[in-house]
Amino acid sequence: MGVAGAPSLALINGQLLGTWGGNNAVLMALDTTAHVHIGCTAGDTKQAIVTDDQGRFDVPGMYNITLHPVARGPRPSGAVRRLDRRGGVMTLSVTLTDTAVTLGPVTLVLGQEPRMGPCPICRKPAPRRVR
């Protein structure tokens, strides 16, 4: 689902685009939606991410903080917030408005492959050996 991009393509008409990766976190921003993982959690927006003139955003979405070992379903009141962006680096937090839980802040770099931790839903499967 990710779209990798060069730092010069991070914003088009104020719209945030591309894959922003970090330690145990990723934001994949497309032209009509975005997907976020912080640790073993995940969420989606139902709209593009458009920044203000300071490079900040506050976007409603669905977020699931209970993906493993049993996924209980997303909460409809999460908000994805970018705190600060300088060039190809951003600081991101996700706030669940129904529980006051905040995930992050995490530092993400445009075009960087995320380094996801031990959560089995986030890891790329190991290559299978052919016998």
Side-chain angles (χ1 to χ4, degrees):
M1 178 180 197
V3 177
S8 62
L9 299 177
L11 289 174
I12 297 178
N13 295 326
Q15 185 175 342
L16 188 75
L17 296 168
T19 298
W20 300 73
N23 289 322
N24 216 20
V26 64
L27 167 70
M28 296 171 279
L30 303 175
D31 60 344
T32 59
T33 188
H35 182 73
V36 176
H37 278 278
I38 297 178
C40 200
T41 69
D44 296 289
T45 69
K46 300 297 182 199
Q47 65 189 58
I49 297 177
V50 179
T51 64
D52 66 14
D53 60 351
Q54 305 262 317
R56 296 175 302 211
F57 60 80
D58 190 347
V59 181
M62 303 282 283
Y63 212 85
N64 192 339
I65 60 173
T66 56
L67 281 176
H68 183 75
V70 177
R72 293 190 176 99
R75 297 179 184 278
S77 57
V80 179
R81 292 192 170 99
R82 177 174 60 172
L83 303 176
D84 187 32
R85 184 183 70 81
R86 290 198 177 20
V89 178
M90 89 164 63
T91 303
L92 176 79
S93 291
V94 172
T95 301
L96 302 180
T97 54
D98 61 339
T99 62
V101 169
T102 297
L103 304 169
V106 294
T107 300
L108 303 176
V109 178
L110 179 62
Q112 179 175 299
E113 183 76 18
R115 293 174 301 281
M116 300 308 291
C119 181
I121 64 160
C122 301
R123 287 191 311 233
K124 289 182 181 176
R128 291 186 172 198
R129 295 191 327 212
V130 179
R131 294 181 186 213

